[in-house]
Amino acid sequence: MRERKQAVRVRRGVHPLHVLLITGVLVVSGIAVSGLWAGLAIPAPSALGPSMEASRPQAEPTSGPDPEDADATATPIPPPINPLLPGAPTGWIRVPRPELPQGPRRVGIQAGHWETELAPPELGRILTQTGAAWRGINERELNWEIANKVADLLRAKGIVVDVLPTTVPPGYLADAFVALHGDSDGEGVKSGFKLAHSSRRTPFEDSLQRLLTEEYGSATGLEYDQAGVSSNMRGYYAHSWTRIRYSTSPFTPSVILEMGFVSNDHDRNLMIYEQDLIANAIATGILKFLEATPREDLFGKDLLVPPGRSFPSPSPRP
């Protein structure tokens, strides 16, 4: 009878052998977990090295709408802090600084739509885009003529200038890059100029864009068409180094300038008959930027850029 009662207790409770096995598993697991945490110990900030410390943002970064996001009007949610990269949110990209270029300053001036027919197939829809046209005038010829006038002015100041076609050398590294384009509204009504730069790049684009805006607006008298700055401009393929191989280095301050509306009589006449005035304004803005921004500032630190989300690329049409 005693043996029967004991068997009932074993069936209703926990068998002593089970207790022994569970205890052993817990002990072994504790030893393994303690060893794992020791292997994943987070290093102190001082152990990360001076280059990362020097390149981290001084304040919590802020960002506006990203045209490459699905909802460009949504307010971004501040990401969590990454303990392995002090001061930088999780997911940010750290790009090692390039070797400091030597010799004269270098500038790339892209003549929009020039030699598009020679572009590689990887550029896709760009191959079918020949530029705005109106009354027999195509922006491609105007872009090329003005680009070469800008190049002549900069070369006279000792600057090395590359007049670039549609195909940008992969990872093109220069002290500044400006893509020249003309616009069209298809009606002949709109007038004005505009500039834009892409996100997730050097912090110096704002300065280059501001100086060009000031010089160009003052010289031409055209209004700045802020409302016309589109996601296609901000996502311009030649600036989109995270998506497209044939783009400028993220260390190259890069902007796109829509010089005016080819479809507008006044704007078109400026781009045809006042090319020297336009070229001088562009060259002056670039020279002011180079004077205010030494190479040590452009290329002297690693670059920290916010993460991008994977969405279909916008049309590269400016």
Side-chain angles (χ1 to χ4, degrees):
M1 189 69 176
R2 177 185 300 177
E3 292 177 355
R4 183 179 178 183
K5 290 182 179 180
Q6 183 177 356
V8 170
R9 284 199 300 269
V10 170
R11 285 195 299 268
R12 291 179 180 177
V14 178
H15 196 283
L17 182 58
H18 290 173
V19 175
L20 180 61
L21 289 174
I22 293 171
T23 303
V25 168
L26 290 176
V27 171
V28 172
S29 299
I31 295 173
V33 169
S34 63
L36 177 62
W37 278 111
L40 294 180
I42 297 175
S46 59
L48 293 173
S51 62
M52 187 172 291
E53 284 289 314
S55 64
R56 70 178 182 178
Q58 295 302 309
E60 186 68 20
T62 58
S63 60
D66 186 341
E68 296 176 32
D69 287 349
D71 182 5
T73 62
T75 302
I77 301 174
I81 296 298
N82 180 357
L84 298 179
L85 188 58
T90 300
W92 278 45
I93 304 169
R94 177 175 178 263
V95 185
R97 62 185 182 274
E99 184 177 348
L100 189 68
Q102 302 299 315
R105 307 296 291 271
R106 178 179 292 273
V107 171
I109 304 294
Q110 185 188 42
H113 303 287
W114 176 41
E115 293 186 346
T116 296
E117 66 278 7
L118 303 179
E122 292 93 324
L123 291 183
R125 286 176 292 177
I126 296 172
L127 302 176
T128 65
Q129 297 171 4
T130 57
W134 193 263
R135 294 181 180 176
I137 302 297
N138 191 296
E139 71 157 294
R140 179 177 52 203
E141 284 74 29
L142 300 179
N143 299 337
W144 185 85
E145 292 167 358
I146 295 172
N148 280 279
K149 288 181 179 291
V150 174
D152 289 342
L153 292 171
L154 293 176
R155 287 165 182 157
K157 298 294 184 180
I159 308 297
V160 174
V161 182
D162 302 306
V163 178
L164 300 172
T166 294
T167 306
V168 176
Y172 177 75
L173 188 68
D175 298 271
F177 171 93
V178 180
L180 301 183
H181 281 268
D183 208 344
S184 174
D185 67 350
E187 299 177 355
V189 176
K190 289 186 178 180
S191 171
F193 75 100
K194 47 187 172 281
L195 291 105
H197 62 77
S198 297
S199 60
R200 300 194 290 280
R201 294 185 57 87
T202 162
F204 300 102
E205 262 101 355
D206 283 340
S207 175
L208 177 59
Q209 181 170 320
R210 175 179 56 80
L211 291 169
L212 284 170
T213 301
E214 293 172 357
E215 294 297 325
Y216 198 86
S218 175
T220 64
L222 293 176
E223 294 292 330
Y224 185 73
D225 182 20
Q226 178 64 54
V229 177
S230 65
S231 60
N232 286 330
M233 288 186 66
R234 292 188 295 267
Y236 187 56
Y237 77 97
H239 306 164
S240 301
W241 65 278
T242 60
R243 299 184 294 111
I244 297 174
R245 178 168 176 255
Y246 299 95
S247 61
T248 60
S249 161
F251 287 90
T252 300
S254 304
V255 300
I256 176 175
L257 166 61
E258 295 277 7
M259 298 180 288
F261 283 82
V262 178
S263 53
N264 180 278
D265 292 342
H266 175 70
D267 293 13
R268 184 175 63 256
N269 286 336
L270 274 176
M271 289 186 280
I272 294 174
Y273 302 113
E274 299 290 345
Q275 292 184 357
D276 289 336
L277 178 146
I278 288 176
N280 186 70
I282 297 171
T284 300
I286 293 173
L287 288 170
K288 286 187 174 182
F289 171 76
L290 296 179
E291 182 180 358
T293 317
R295 269 186 169 164
E296 291 73 14
D297 292 347
L298 289 177
F299 309 117
K301 295 180 180 179
D302 292 353
L303 186 63
L304 288 178
V305 293
R309 293 162 59 187
S310 298
F311 291 100
S313 302
S315 168
R317 183 184 66 235

